[in-house]
Amino acid sequence: MGWEETQVRGYEEFVRTAQRYHGRPIFALFCGDKDAEGRSWCPDCVTAEPVVRKELQNLPDGSVFIYCLVGDRTYWKDPNNEFRRNLKLTGVPTLLKYGTPQKLVEEECFKAELVRMLFTED
Amino acid sequence: SVQAHKEEKSQKSMEMNGLTMAPDSYDYDLIVIGGGSGGLAAAKEAAKYEKKVMVLDFVKPTPQGSSWGLGGTCVNVGCIPKKLMHQAALLGQALQDSRKFGWQFTEEVKHNWMTMTESVQNYIGSLNWGYRVALRDNKVTYENAYGEFVGPHTIKATNKKGVEKLYTAERFLIATGERPRYLGIPGDKEYCISSDDLFSLPYCPGKTLVVGASYVALECAGFLAGLGLDVTVMVRSILLRGFDQDMANKIGEYMKEHGVHFIREFVPVKVEQVEEGTPGRLKVTAKSTTGNQIIEGEYNTVLLAIGRDPCTRKIGLDKVGVHINEKTGKIPVNDEEQTNVPYVYAVGDILQDKLELTPVAIQAGRLLVRRLYAGATTKCDYVNVPTTVFTPLEYGACGYSEEAAVEKFGEENIEVYHSHFWPLEWTVPSRDNNKCYAKIICNIQDNERVIGFHVLGPNAGEVTQGFAAAIKCGMTKEQLDSTIGIHPVCAEV
């Protein structure tokens, strides 16, 4: 069956999408918005994305990978934004296994070994 | 691939049977059996010195089926969830006190066990994950597999699917810790739970009988009562064996006055199920230790906290000749944590005659590794280790109990200074005014050096930590007296 990717923007869309896939393993990568040229305002996200994408082939069958743009820099810096408040995100990029305490934050996302561990181990 | 596996196996047996292996032909520099406080601290330290390290951690499920992730007892079924649940109980008390300080709320305050337990387990899950990230990041190999010795320098690791692998190492560190003891009476494993089950119990325990008088028993009984449950503690003889008995009795008195029932000098002889359920109903039959009296009681949950036994009997220690104390299962080591087999070391709760505390295991593990790989010489100092019991009235201690001081120095050579105190925060809500207590024990022959510190009161752990450092520095009574107090805090006493 393999795995599938879906891309969303903003908190509401993320929550709706996660609910839609309830029952399947859900992995999510949260990054800062990209400009017209496809560059994110978040330099660490630029570094992390290719590392994470390379490991997607290791996702368990039936998984869903949600690529989520959180918003612009101002929105992200607000300590009360919904991602911080409800999902307890502390930084971008964040890669997590939805519904579990398993996550990788910022530089941890640069390490292929850790990404692979998150995707493949319980 | 089955063929390849067989060949690998026979090659390893050849190596075991005769040829002495040169150190650089071992799979690992160090294999750590047990991923708890001691094991993980040692593994991470060894990785710092670029050693090739493997950690084997495996939890055999409890009779009730409970299990948990990487991190050992402290993180999963010990200190961490215990302190969080103790805090939950303290907050309940604070809510009651708050009315006297002017907070107004009309609804009755109730406690939801599932909400608390889910939050606690979620936090523990993040700790388990954090350890796995830390190990992987430090290039420490981790396997969720049961390790046992099968021959010199060789261990067999069996995962939960039953797949076996053999590994060799130059050195081994046994850090397998302990598990709760059962009574050995009818119904104990089928119907009773232990601390291994309590912190992840998927239903509120209800009316609970706690069997035992250890700190585990009293701490659990304490927070369960604090959450509003009907709790009884069944004690065979004394409370908190090994602790200062004067303090132990004060703890018991406080718990009694705050709604915990005690049944003294009885032991359970039978546990039967009256009704199935979550929780169900259990009937406990108990016999007096001083006569022939038999009593019966009905409870929703029976929690056994009568002691813990080292996990050393089924890890193949006989195959490599490591001596254990046959009676207790503990491993005797020298002051460098080395067993009688030179390349096998041990740390943590399994050690004979050493304190069973997480910080002790961590310190011992780290110093051991520094001695092995970084040329250090510092040995672990097991003297004057501070501890705290998180009963409803917390008890912090460092150094000698009054009994131990009398035994060692003689009653005429020690001086005890003591005082009751009333925390300022307790005055307004009219909480007990003569329960909190502090005492120090001084050695008259040595400049009245403080050799024992005991405090019973809120935040005892926070108070005790600083005094432990002072005792380590050899503080005398005079120095203590000349230290001006902070006001208004409990610690100024």
Side-chain angles (χ1 to χ4, degrees):
Chain A
M1 189 191 169
W3 56 275
E4 63 183 272
E5 172 170 349
T6 176
Q7 301 203 352
V8 302
R9 194 178 171 280
Y11 181 75
E12 303 254 336
E13 210 190 331
F14 173 77
V15 171
R16 259 194 330 245
T17 309
Q19 276 168 0
R20 198 164 73 229
Y21 289 108
H22 179 70
R24 291 165 65 173
I26 300 173
F27 297 88
L29 177 64
F30 298 91
C31 292
D33 277 2
K34 291 178 166 171
D35 62 20
E37 276 91 50
R39 258 195 320 269
S40 178
W41 55 260
C42 160
D44 285 350
C45 302
V46 173
T47 313
E49 193 175 332
V51 177
V52 172
R53 290 203 167 277
K54 191 141 168 261
E55 296 299 322
L56 289 178
Q57 56 178 320
N58 295 313
L59 281 174
D61 274 353
S63 304
V64 177
F65 174 66
I66 304 180
Y67 178 77
C68 178
L69 294 177
V70 298
D72 62 26
R73 187 191 228 115
T74 321
Y75 168 81
W76 181 251
K77 293 294 184 201
D78 173 13
N80 277 324
N81 76 52
E82 295 120 318
F83 288 102
R84 289 188 196 268
R85 232 189 22 241
N86 303 338
L87 281 176
K88 309 280 185 272
L89 295 197
T90 53
V92 281
T94 291
L95 178 67
L96 54 77
K97 187 168 177 179
Y98 191 66
T100 76
Q102 298 184 352
K103 64 177 178 177
L104 297 172
V105 179
E106 291 159 359
E107 311 86 56
E108 291 175 338
C109 300
F110 302 169
K111 301 178 183 172
E113 281 260 351
L114 295 183
V115 175
R116 202 174 313 144
M117 182 169 84
L118 180 71
F119 285 164
T120 61
E121 293 177 29
D122 260 330
Chain B
S1 60
V2 170
Q3 185 59 29
H5 178 63
K6 275 201 183 134
E7 274 168 3
E8 193 193 74
K9 228 175 165 175
S10 51
Q11 188 203 354
K12 282 208 149 67
S13 331
M14 270 170 33
E15 285 169 340
M16 270 155 52
N17 278 342
L19 313 166
T20 23
M21 298 176 71
D24 55 349
S25 68
Y26 294 120
D27 298 326
Y28 290 90
D29 294 310
L30 178 69
I31 291 182
V32 179
I33 313 175
S37 304
L40 290 180
K44 280 191 266 187
E45 189 73 19
K48 272 196 218 165
Y49 303 113
E50 323 243 302
K51 294 298 163 186
K52 197 160 175 230
V53 186
M54 163 180 262
V55 170
L56 295 173
D57 187 70
F58 193 84
V59 178
K60 281 199 166 152
T62 71
Q64 297 301 327
S66 307
S67 185
W68 49 88
L70 180 63
T73 294
C74 176
V75 163
N76 292 288
V77 287
C79 336
I80 302 289
K82 176 263 300 282
K83 183 98 191 289
L84 290 172
M85 294 196 177
H86 169 69
Q87 175 66 4
L90 289 178
L91 288 171
Q93 176 72 69
L95 280 167
Q96 299 306 322
D97 289 352
S98 71
R99 291 187 202 264
K100 293 275 175 64
F101 279 96
W103 289 100
Q104 298 178 326
F105 42 98
T106 48
E107 304 123 43
E108 215 200 289
V109 173
K110 287 190 320 246
H111 184 259
N112 183 313
W113 175 269
M114 290 312 304
T115 307
M116 172 184 72
T117 309
E118 275 172 29
S119 310
V120 169
Q121 286 303 316
N122 211 44
Y123 177 63
I124 291 174
S126 69
L127 292 179
N128 298 141
W129 174 250
Y131 283 123
R132 288 171 60 199
V133 169
L135 288 186
R136 187 61 69 93
D137 221 13
N138 284 302
K139 312 266 186 289
V140 173
T141 310
Y142 157 60
E143 283 213 12
N144 184 212
Y146 187 88
E148 53 192 309
F149 286 97
V150 290
H153 289 276
T154 311
I155 211 156
K156 174 174 79 169
T158 309
N159 71 11
K160 58 181 171 220
K161 298 201 177 118
V163 175
E164 296 176 358
K165 290 193 208 165
L166 291 181
Y167 298 107
T168 60
E170 191 188 351
R171 292 187 175 103
F172 293 84
L173 177 62
I174 307 173
T176 49
E178 302 181 305
R179 296 296 292 269
R181 192 180 299 151
Y182 279 78
L183 281 167
I185 61 170
D188 65 352
K189 291 201 172 146
E190 298 93 299
Y191 307 121
C192 300
I193 63 167
S194 72
S195 56
D196 281 356
D197 307 292
L198 182 64
F199 302 110
S200 56
L201 207 61
Y203 53 84
C204 180
K207 179 178 175 195
T208 303
L209 174 70
V210 178
V211 182
S214 54
Y215 76 82
V216 174
L218 297 187
E219 285 176 345
C220 290
F223 75 70
L224 289 173
L227 298 176
L229 303 179
D230 178 344
V231 178
T232 304
V233 181
M234 185 174 285
V235 178
R236 186 186 59 187
S237 62
I238 61 171
L239 298 179
L240 294 173
R241 184 178 303 275
F243 286 82
D244 184 295
Q245 284 299 290
D246 173 31
M247 307 304 281
N249 288 325
K250 289 189 196 304
I251 291 173
E253 279 308 307
Y254 184 87
M255 287 175 69
K256 220 162 71 180
E257 278 163 30
H258 287 258
V260 177
H261 309 110
F262 280 85
I263 299 179
R264 308 285 304 241
E265 299 185 327
F266 272 85
V267 291
V269 293
K270 189 168 55 169
V271 178
E272 295 161 289
Q273 187 177 62
V274 171
E275 192 185 308
E276 250 189 83
T278 54
R281 278 160 53 212
L282 301 172
K283 181 168 111 178
V284 178
T285 309
K287 185 167 183 299
S288 165
T289 58
T290 57
N292 286 322
Q293 198 193 352
I294 303 273
I295 55 171
E296 286 178 355
E298 197 181 284
Y299 305 91
N300 294 123
T301 297
V302 177
L303 171 68
L304 300 182
I306 55 169
R308 294 174 63 79
D309 292 320
C311 299
T312 50
R313 300 193 193 268
K314 294 185 181 162
I315 55 173
L317 291 182
D318 51 321
K319 303 265 183 356
V320 284
V322 171
H323 289 155
I324 67 171
N325 178 319
E326 278 307 322
K327 180 158 166 272
T328 62
K330 296 236 177 182
I331 302 186
V333 292
N334 61 18
D335 62 1
E336 298 189 323
E337 287 83 28
Q338 193 180 35
T339 69
N340 60 302
V341 177
Y343 64 89
V344 179
Y345 299 80
V347 287
D349 288 359
I350 54 173
L351 295 191
Q352 180 158 283
D353 299 325
K354 301 282 198 285
L355 288 160
E356 296 177 21
L357 295 165
T358 278
V360 172
I362 292 177
Q363 179 85 321
R366 280 197 193 131
L367 292 179
L368 167 65
V369 165
R370 283 182 210 159
R371 289 194 307 269
L372 289 179
Y373 302 124
T377 51
T378 318
K379 300 184 200 180
C380 188
D381 184 0
Y382 292 97
V383 171
N384 290 331
V385 174
T387 63
T388 296
V389 181
F390 294 96
T391 33
L393 191 58
E394 295 178 10
Y395 167 42
C398 182
Y400 287 89
S401 66
E402 203 170 322
E403 300 92 345
V406 163
E407 203 193 314
K408 173 115 191 200
F409 300 99
E411 196 170 341
E412 64 284 2
N413 291 320
I414 62 162
E415 190 71 62
V416 178
Y417 298 91
H418 66 149
S419 168
H420 280 99
F421 61 92
W422 197 21
L424 183 62
E425 295 84 352
W426 288 20
T427 57
V428 165
S430 306
R431 282 174 62 187
D432 323 80
N433 67 348
N434 68 339
K435 289 294 179 289
C436 297
Y437 180 76
K439 75 177 174 187
I440 55 164
I441 302 167
C442 303
N443 183 353
I444 300 177
Q445 295 178 314
D446 181 19
N447 270 353
E448 276 212 304
R449 200 160 311 276
V450 179
I451 56 169
F453 169 86
H454 303 264
V455 67
L456 192 61
N459 306 118
E462 309 292 358
V463 172
T464 305
Q465 184 70 83
F467 284 96
I471 290 180
K472 212 172 188 37
C473 296
M475 173 181 67
T476 60
K477 173 74 165 54
E478 201 187 328
Q479 286 170 317
L480 182 59
D481 285 345
S482 69
T483 308
I484 300 184
I486 304 173
H487 181 78
V489 295
C490 296
E492 65 179 306
V493 73

